[in-house]
Amino acid sequence: MKQLLPCLLLLSLVACIQQPATDKDGYKTHQTFGPGEEAKIAAAFLSLTDSSRITLKAGDYKFDNLSIAQVKHILIEGAGAGKTVLDFSGQSQGGEGIRITDTKGFTIDGMTLKDSKGDLIKINKSEQVVITNLNAIWSKADSTSGGYAIYPVLCKNVLVENCYAEGASDAGIYVGQTDSAIVRKCKAFKNVAGCEIENTSNAEVYDNEFWGNTAGFLVFDLPDLSKRGGNVKAYNNYLHDNNERNFAKAGSFGSTWGVGNAAPGSGIVILAASNVELYKNRIINNNSNAISVVSGFFIDENAGSKINDNYFPIPRNIHIHDNEMKMDTAFPAAVYEHHTGKILVGIEQQLKAMDPSRKRIPLIAYDGITTNLLTKGTAINPDSLCIQQNDPNLFINIDALHMKDKGWKPSLDVTPYTCK
């Protein structure tokens, strides 16, 4: 027995040494907080070390802002959207509600963020980002709202899923200057744009519902940014009834490149983005256009001067097929007060002048500005716009470069763009 006892003690010591230093999900540190501990939570965010997990119990929390930077393998979790609520309405400093910078392996899961002065959550220069089961909302949807509800930018490998965004004065769900992103099973309501993929490559957007916004879904490539986008697929989405007033902040309007250019009643807008595929979407009752494909020249005649390795103003390799599209019998009221909307109204009026029996502008509008403008070429479809749709009143080539000419006649002939 005396000989056995030291052995048992030694085995116990070995067992203690071999005990895993992580929880069941692989995090080395796990802290749990409840309402009333906001100061401790803010301090914990700032002092996080690699492989940390923070759990916020159900309840209402009030913060100025929260920040995490330069750490790996982080989980911020709540009890569920609508149960754990982070309220930033009393902000006295800071733009974002939550700002995440330079992380690798960051996940936020199961909470509601509301009413920050700036973006609700901005994730910057990070990799392996997961945003899931998150509601991001402003109580009032107008130009005083922050720009982006959910905002990963300059990131790599991003997943946004099962999220809800409301009230953003730019885009509810925005993915910018990012490589490899998925947005799925999300909802966006009462934003200027429901979802925007901007200067982002290798993105998939599917199984989402965007409704009650100014525009449902935007795929933009803009100049003067750090990377070019492309290889974007959007499928199995339900984009409907996006007919609301554009309430973007003033700087987003006019000849600038912001979301203020999106006309009320827009289903999908592709602006200067290339290698985009739209298929098997339901695009219903977006009553200015189901799909618009336009170049940078459509909003800025000097777009050519901005061409560089990260920007080309003319959309190329756009494939539109197998979508269900419908529009109602009239433009939304808000379109008559919007600068781009007025252009669409003028196009419909021109079509009616050409054919008094015509009732509506077609479902797909193409500005018709091609690389022929730059190359002095004459090819009919040099940029490979490919449309495989059988809808009536399907297509218009606006021939935007000649809209101000006396003899301007937009074309309804989709044949040059019909592909096998």
Side-chain angles (χ1 to χ4, degrees), residues 99-140:
R99 183 180 179 90
I100 310 298
T101 305
D102 193 17
T103 64
K104 187 173 183 178
F106 173 81
T107 298
I108 185 166
D109 182 6
M111 63 188 69
T112 293
L113 314 179
K114 60 183 290 188
D115 293 334
S116 59
K117 287 183 170 61
D119 311 312
L120 277 163
I121 180 167
K122 181 177 181 179
I123 302 175
N124 188 39
K125 297 180 181 178
S126 295
E127 298 182 24
Q128 299 170 20
V129 173
V130 178
I131 306 165
T132 185
N133 303 312
L134 188 77
N135 288 359
I137 61 176
W138 282 275
S139 301
K140 188 176 182 181

Side-chain angles (χ1 to χ4, degrees), residues 37 60 79 104 172 176 183 185 188-189 195 199 208 216 239 243 256 283 347 358 360 379 383 402 409 412:
E37 297 184 285
D60 295 337
K104 187 173 183 178
V183 178
K185 299 179 180 178
F189 171 67
C195 177
N199 292 71
N208 302 287
L239 312 166
N243 298 302
T256 63
I283 311 170
I347 292 167
R358 168 165 292 277
R360 285 308 322 268
D383 304 309
H402 299 101
K409 288 187 177 181
L412 302 175

Side-chain angles (χ1 to χ4, degrees), residues 201-215:
S201 54
N202 306 309
E204 293 192 39
V205 179
Y206 61 91
D207 294 342
N208 302 287
E209 182 181 9
F210 307 138
W211 81 104
N213 308 284
T214 302

Side-chain angles (χ1 to χ4, degrees), residues 15-37:
C16 288
I17 292 172
Q18 292 179 341
Q19 282 286 333
T22 61
D23 66 13
K24 64 182 178 65
D25 295 315
Y27 295 93
K28 293 180 179 178
T29 303
H30 186 185
Q31 302 177 73
T32 301
F33 301 96
E37 297 184 285

Side-chain angles (χ1 to χ4, degrees), residues 268-271 291-295 315 318 320 364-368 385:
I268 298 176
V269 181
I270 297 172
L271 170 62
I291 300 172
S292 299
V293 181
V294 297
S295 72
I318 308 299
I320 301 169
I364 299 174
Y366 176 44
D367 70 358
L385 172 61

Side-chain angles (χ1 to χ4, degrees), residues 302-349:
N302 296 314
S305 67
K306 302 177 184 296
I307 294 174
N308 56 32
D309 289 344
N310 295 325
Y311 178 71
F312 190 75
I314 295 172
R316 295 175 291 185
N317 302 318
I318 308 299
H319 191 188
I320 301 169
H321 63 97
D322 301 299
N323 299 283
E324 179 187 354
M325 297 184 290
K326 294 179 183 177
M327 287 194 303
D328 208 345
T329 56
F331 283 109
V335 85
Y336 296 96
E337 301 172 358
H338 185 270
H339 59 284
T340 308
K342 291 176 182 177
I343 294 173
L344 294 172
V345 171
I347 292 167
E348 184 173 278
Q349 290 172 342

Side-chain angles (χ1 to χ4, degrees), residues 18-190:
Q18 292 179 341
Q19 282 286 333
T22 61
D23 66 13
K24 64 182 178 65
D25 295 315
Y27 295 93
K28 293 180 179 178
T29 303
H30 186 185
Q31 302 177 73
T32 301
F33 301 96
E37 297 184 285
E38 283 87 344
K40 292 181 180 179
I41 295 165
F45 271 55
L46 288 172
S47 61
L48 277 182
T49 56
D50 291 352
S51 193
S52 291
R53 175 180 187 170
I54 288 181
T55 300
L56 302 180
K57 297 177 183 177
D60 295 337
Y61 300 77
K62 294 185 180 297
F63 294 103
D64 251 6
N65 53 73
L66 294 168
S67 182
I68 295 172
Q70 297 181 327
V71 284
K72 300 177 182 177
H73 195 215
I74 302 298
L75 171 61
I76 309 299
E77 63 178 357
K83 296 179 180 179
T84 297
V85 180
L86 280 55
D87 185 343
F88 299 94
S89 60
Q91 273 185 322
S92 60
Q93 59 181 357
E96 298 90 6
I98 299 177
R99 183 180 179 90
I100 310 298
T101 305
D102 193 17
T103 64
K104 187 173 183 178
F106 173 81
T107 298
I108 185 166
D109 182 6
M111 63 188 69
T112 293
L113 314 179
K114 60 183 290 188
D115 293 334
S116 59
K117 287 183 170 61
D119 311 312
L120 277 163
I121 180 167
K122 181 177 181 179
I123 302 175
N124 188 39
K125 297 180 181 178
S126 295
E127 298 182 24
Q128 299 170 20
V129 173
V130 178
I131 306 165
T132 185
N133 303 312
L134 188 77
N135 288 359
I137 61 176
W138 282 275
S139 301
K140 188 176 182 181
D142 62 19
S143 60
T144 65
S145 302
Y148 306 116
I150 297 169
Y151 181 20
V153 62
L154 295 167
C155 290
K156 187 173 182 179
N157 296 322
V158 171
L159 171 62
V160 183
E161 66 174 358
N162 297 321
C163 293
Y164 174 81
E166 179 179 331
S169 63
D170 198 300
I173 300 167
Y174 170 99
V175 182
Q177 299 176 72
T178 287
D179 180 26
S180 302
I182 293 173
V183 178
R184 67 186 181 199
K185 299 179 180 178
C186 293
K187 297 179 184 294
F189 171 67
K190 209 184 292 186

